[in-house]
Amino acid sequence: DGGITQSPKYLFRKEGQNVTLSCEQNLNHDAMYWYRQDPGQGLRLIYYSQIVNDFQKGDIAEGYSVSREKKESFPLTVTSAQKNPTAFYLCASSISTGRRQPQHFGDGTRLSIL
Amino acid sequence: AQSVTQPDIHITVSEGASLELRCNYSYGATPYLFWYVQSPGQGLQLLLKYFSGDTLVQGIKGFEAEFKRSQSSFNLRKPSVHWSDAAEYFCAVGGTSGTYKYIFGTGTRLKVLA
């Protein structure tokens, strides 16, 4: 079955450390997204990519970085500059970034600080 | 500015009772509207979507939603709730033409009493 795989499910970061969250999709979708979810705040967009080798900042990109070297993969790095990284991170994809395209979500990665 | 409001943070219903979750949007053009469900520790799953045409749309798991342009609402309903429906529900609107952006509500957490 096609879908989105996020790994790991749980991740712990030490102070000053960068960590990378993996997101892989086999839906043949062009567009991919990273969201951060905090209790009571809904989903906030970190980065999105419309196509391979292209990505754009979302609403809360500071302290995060991404790459899109392959269509299937869109890893997110949480850098040491992100001072409050504890959250649930969701990766999503859609056929394109058109506003009528439903987004398909992975099962998330929960990041905590040690 | 576009926005989505889910006025109820928490809702509790008894199993077998009917359910209505409210969603109000602010959007200048014809909105593309979505409802998603999120079980604890999981990603979001699309329940249904509205683009145009019939204002009553059917989704998965027995859910339906009604688009009311005059009230700027897109409320989610289910005639008889099952214990497995306990989850968080998000309303979203597709962004302005040519952009990527979904606008998510802050979610409504549903509790089902046995």
Side-chain angles (χ1 to χ4, degrees):
Chain A
D1 283 343
I4 299 177
T5 302
Q6 290 188 241
S7 62
K9 192 167 180 65
Y10 300 95
L11 187 58
F12 298 91
R13 195 190 89 169
K14 297 179 181 178
E15 292 290 337
Q17 185 181 44
N18 293 352
V19 292
T20 297
L21 285 60
S22 172
C23 176
E24 302 278 333
Q25 56 100 356
N26 61 4
L27 298 166
N28 200 32
H29 285 173
D30 283 324
M32 297 188 74
Y33 313 81
W34 274 106
Y35 292 93
R36 171 177 172 145
Q37 187 177 24
D38 296 280
Q41 295 195 41
L43 278 70
R44 293 184 290 169
L45 184 67
I46 304 172
Y47 269 97
Y48 72 102
S49 169
Q50 294 177 288
I51 201 166
V52 175
N53 293 322
D54 178 71
F55 50 84
Q56 305 294 330
K57 293 181 179 180
D59 299 319
I60 56 165
E62 185 174 351
Y64 301 97
S65 66
V66 294
S67 63
R68 186 87 187 275
E69 297 175 1
K70 297 187 300 182
K71 187 175 186 177
E72 304 80 22
S73 179
F74 191 41
L76 173 74
T77 296
V78 184
T79 74
S80 57
Q82 173 48 246
K83 297 306 179 188
N84 183 23
T86 298
F88 191 53
Y89 291 86
L90 287 163
C91 179
S93 72
S94 60
I95 292 174
S96 71
T97 52
R99 65 189 183 106
R100 61 188 293 159
Q101 298 299 334
Q103 294 186 8
H104 301 256
F105 286 81
D107 282 340
T109 293
R110 187 165 299 280
L111 176 61
S112 302
I113 296 298
L114 282 177
Chain B
Q2 296 93 27
S3 65
V4 175
T5 302
Q6 293 180 250
D8 303 305
I9 298 173
H10 298 279
I11 283 186
T12 300
V13 299
S14 298
E15 191 170 19
S18 64
L19 172 69
E20 183 169 28
L21 302 181
R22 295 184 291 164
C23 173
N24 296 100
Y25 66 90
S26 172
Y27 195 80
T30 301
Y32 294 158
L33 295 159
F34 307 85
W35 273 102
Y36 287 84
V37 61
Q38 184 181 33
S39 297
Q42 302 291 316
L44 277 67
Q45 181 183 21
L46 179 67
L47 284 175
L48 48 79
K49 58 185 183 284
Y50 170 78
F51 293 158
S52 63
D54 194 347
T55 55
L56 185 65
V57 294
Q58 302 297 321
I60 63 171
K61 302 177 186 280
F63 285 91
E64 65 179 26
E66 186 171 13
F67 171 64
K68 292 185 177 180
R69 184 185 298 276
S70 62
Q71 298 178 19
S72 297
S73 69
F74 188 55
N75 294 349
L76 183 70
R77 302 195 295 243
K78 187 170 185 178
S80 177
V81 170
H82 188 263
W83 64 266
S84 61
D85 293 324
E88 191 156 21
Y89 292 80
F90 291 92
C91 181
V93 61
T96 53
S97 179
T99 72
Y100 59 90
K101 194 172 179 176
Y102 265 39
I103 302 165
F104 284 91
T106 52
T108 297
R109 185 169 297 278
L110 174 65
K111 182 177 179 179
V112 180
L113 300 177

